[in-house]
Amino acid sequence: MVNTKGETRRIIILNWCSSHMLSIFILYSFFFTFSFKHCSATDTISITINNFLQDGGGDTLVSKGENFELGFFTPNGSSSGKRYLGIWYYKLTPLTVVWVANRDKPLLDSCGAFGIAEDGNLKVLDKSGKFYWGTNLEGSHSQHRIVMLMDNGNLVVSDEVEDQGNHQVKILWQSFANPTDTFLPGMKMDDNLALTSWRSYEDPAPGNFSFEHDQGENQYIIWKRSIRYWKSSVSGKFVGTGEISTAISYFLSNFTLKVSPNNTVPFLTSALYTDTRLVMTHWGQLKYMKMDSEKMWLLVWGEPRDRCSVFNACGNFGSCNSKYDSMCKCLPGFKPNSIESWNAGDFSGGCSRKTNVCSGDAKGDTFLSLKMMKVGNPDAQFNAKDEEECMSECLNNCQCYAYSYEDTEKGRLGDSGDVVCWIWSEDLNNLEEEYEDGCDLHVRVAVSDIGKFFLSSMYCLY
């Protein structure tokens, strides 16, 4: 039942944990400090100091517009009985969790509690008062401190301050600035924010994959622990290492958050972002999803799309083609750095040249012409009057490993309408064949290595 008068109650026997009898001393000391208020799932939208939600009592917190719900849950499919505090879509089946508090420290039974403690911090505790999760807010607490679940899914801790008769809200902490694996409309993806996957479908502990923004390169990156697993190309300079749509980029970077005592929702510039979410999955795919009219999630966009979309899937100088069972091969004139790993299906070590280029012999080097190739961003560019000048520039520079030439009036490289010559002076990475928006890439090789090499229709000498 809802405690409509808001009385503080001293509870000596926990009916919701009757299977675990506690001593009167422990009960009294715990509940003297932390009294509980039963919160209905339909009429309570905020928690004040010392009014805790009880897991065993079935208490939850529901946003004003009934979009999101906060409470304790057991992950879908889990038989362990472990309990987590989280936020999910209200009355959506199956349970779709968007945020988890104690993701790496679950409670082992349904005797948890959540609320604002005497020190003004959010805390998740068990029946004995043991700490499982909490905020770390500095300074003394205010009697006007509250926690609210917003209609956009943001859990906000704030103090209400009255200034010259006007109520103002000072936000002290919010879940939108401390996400787990999900990005929701209203959040802003800055360099301090990262999404970290669950460990598995049944375990919300931090997993192997994380998603973040690199402002220096203006790219979004998926990490597999310490390995760069995927990265986007948002600058538009080159095909680069995978794309991220304009809509997704805007979704991640341009929302602003406004919180008021009336629980207002941030202004959304387009209905495109309503009922959408971006999730870093435990298997390493970033998924942008939208809910349809039947409350089903539809995949709008996902990366990596396939095996070749993984960053540098075949290593340096290794070319990827997902149409084949053996997706990787070394470019002609190159060999695997580790033949044992290569034969075992581990292509991450990539390839290296059989013969060094730029040996001093003017006729010692040539160019292997690769059509429709995806490749990592170039290291330099200049305006060339024709392709011959571009080739000569690369051939006369021992540090030039490849070039690509295109007249932008006919093609898509560059942005000024000039003839552009792109130069690569580092090992080529993220190579993929038969790429729809790919470029014509000319790779420097030793004539001695490919003179007798049987070239497929994919390759030709220049």
Side-chain angles (χ1 to χ4, degrees):
M1 297 296 293
V2 178
N3 183 4
T4 57
K5 295 181 181 180
E7 300 97 342
T8 297
R9 294 181 295 171
R10 305 288 189 251
I11 303 176
I12 301 303
I13 299 177
L14 291 177
N15 294 327
W16 46 279
C17 289
S18 57
S19 61
H20 302 279
M21 295 302 295
L22 301 176
S23 69
I24 297 298
F25 173 77
I26 294 178
L27 281 170
Y28 180 80
S29 62
F30 177 55
F31 288 103
F32 182 80
T33 305
F34 304 113
S35 58
F36 286 75
K37 176 181 178 180
H38 286 288
C39 297
S40 166
T42 58
D43 63 358
T44 303
I45 62 168
S46 65
I47 302 175
T48 55
I49 292 176
N50 285 342
N51 292 324
F52 275 52
L53 295 180
Q54 306 172 27
D55 183 12
D59 295 345
T60 63
L61 191 67
V62 178
S63 65
K64 187 175 182 179
E66 297 188 342
N67 293 332
F68 289 92
E69 185 173 13
L70 175 144
F72 289 91
F73 73 99
T74 295
N76 295 321
S78 175
S79 58
S80 67
K82 294 178 180 179
R83 302 291 285 173
Y84 301 87
L85 179 79
I87 299 172
W88 55 84
Y89 288 89
Y90 184 60
K91 290 187 176 179
L92 186 65
T93 303
L95 191 71
T96 305
V97 178
V98 299
W99 181 80
V100 184
N102 56 319
R103 61 185 308 191
D104 52 0
K105 194 175 181 180
L107 292 105
L108 302 181
D109 54 34
S110 298
C111 296
F114 167 72
I116 305 177
E118 287 285 348
D119 62 1
N121 279 288
L122 292 182
K123 290 186 179 181
V124 175
L125 308 167
D126 67 7
K127 57 183 177 288
S128 65
K130 181 180 176 181
F131 177 86
Y132 284 77
W133 175 87
T135 57
N136 187 25
L137 303 177
E138 298 180 355
S140 60
H141 72 271
S142 166
Q143 291 299 325
H144 299 287
R145 183 160 300 175
I146 61 172
V147 55
M148 298 180 68
L149 180 60
M150 313 294 286
D151 272 334
N152 59 355
N154 191 14
L155 186 68
V156 177
V157 179
S158 62
D159 281 342
E160 289 191 24
V161 181
E162 188 169 340
D163 183 16
Q164 297 179 351
N166 296 321
H167 284 284
Q168 294 185 357
V169 174
K170 181 181 180 181
I171 298 176
L172 306 175
W173 181 93
Q174 54 183 317
S175 61
F176 270 19
N178 300 272
T180 48
D181 68 328
T182 302
F183 191 97
L184 295 172
M187 297 172 68
K188 184 167 183 175
M189 194 80 183
D190 58 27
D191 289 350
N192 298 318
L193 201 68
L195 305 180
T196 304
S197 69
W198 285 26
R199 184 173 296 169
S200 70
Y201 178 74
E202 302 174 0
D203 186 355
N208 291 325
F209 296 93
S210 61
F211 172 71
E212 62 184 35
H213 179 242
D214 184 339
Q215 186 176 14
E217 296 186 9
N218 190 27
Q219 291 181 329
Y220 296 96
I221 301 173
I222 297 176
W223 294 93
K224 184 178 182 181
R225 301 181 70 85
S226 61
I227 300 172
R228 193 181 302 242
Y229 187 71
W230 174 89
K231 69 176 183 177
S232 70
S233 178
V234 296
S235 64
K237 183 176 70 171
F238 206 72
V239 172
T241 51
E243 291 74 47
I244 189 164
S245 71
T246 302
I248 304 297
S249 181
Y250 183 83
F251 170 74
L252 289 167
S253 62
N254 285 279
F255 284 114
T256 58
L257 179 66
K258 297 178 181 179
V259 179
S260 77
N262 295 323
N263 193 18
T264 58
V265 177
F267 174 71
L268 304 182
T269 58
S270 171
L272 172 67
Y273 307 111
T274 303
D275 293 328
T276 59
R277 61 190 175 108
L278 189 73
V279 183
M280 184 68 256
T281 65
H282 67 269
W283 62 88
Q285 187 179 40
L286 185 70
K287 299 175 69 174
Y288 180 54
M289 309 184 75
K290 184 173 178 62
M291 189 188 303
D292 65 13
S293 59
E294 298 181 356
K295 302 295 183 180
M296 300 292 292
W297 289 106
L298 302 178
L299 179 63
V300 178
W301 176 92
E303 286 286 358
R305 297 185 302 275
D306 53 37
R307 296 179 298 168
C308 289
S309 297
V310 172
F311 177 72
N312 211 18
C314 298
N316 293 349
F317 293 115
S319 182
C320 190
N321 193 325
S322 60
K323 295 179 180 179
Y324 303 113
D325 291 338
S326 181
M327 66 180 189
C328 294
K329 61 183 176 183
C330 292
L331 296 179
F334 295 79
K335 60 183 179 181
N337 283 315
S338 172
I339 190 65
E340 293 82 7
S341 298
W342 197 270
N343 290 336
D346 180 4
F347 309 111
S348 59
C351 310
S352 57
R353 296 182 184 277
K354 295 178 180 178
T355 304
N356 290 334
V357 294
C358 206
S359 60
D361 183 357
K363 298 182 179 179
D365 297 345
T366 188
F367 289 97
L368 188 71
S369 180
L370 312 179
K371 305 294 184 180
M372 296 177 62
M373 294 294 294
K374 183 177 81 170
V375 60
N377 287 336
D379 304 298
Q381 73 176 81
F382 73 99
N383 295 335
K385 64 181 181 181
D386 52 34
E387 185 169 2
E388 184 176 353
E389 183 182 10
C390 183
M391 181 185 66
S392 297
E393 179 71 20
C394 186
L395 194 61
N396 293 326
N397 179 1
C398 285
Q399 294 184 345
C400 179
Y401 290 164
Y403 76 88
S404 181
Y405 165 88
E406 189 162 348
D407 187 337
T408 57
E409 292 182 353
K410 300 178 181 179
R412 57 169 184 78
L413 298 181
D415 54 11
S416 63
D418 296 321
V419 175
V420 177
C421 180
W422 302 92
I423 298 294
W424 283 261
S425 57
E426 303 289 341
D427 289 359
L428 301 181
N429 61 41
N430 219 48
L431 290 165
E432 182 178 352
E433 300 174 357
E434 301 182 41
Y435 193 74
E436 182 178 357
D437 264 341
C439 68
D440 292 343
L441 183 68
H442 307 278
V443 182
R444 189 171 192 157
V445 290
V447 172
S448 59
D449 286 335
I450 61 173
K452 297 180 180 180
F453 190 87
F454 176 76
L455 300 176
S456 71
S457 60
M458 196 68 194
Y459 306 125
C460 61
L461 289 177
Y462 184 82

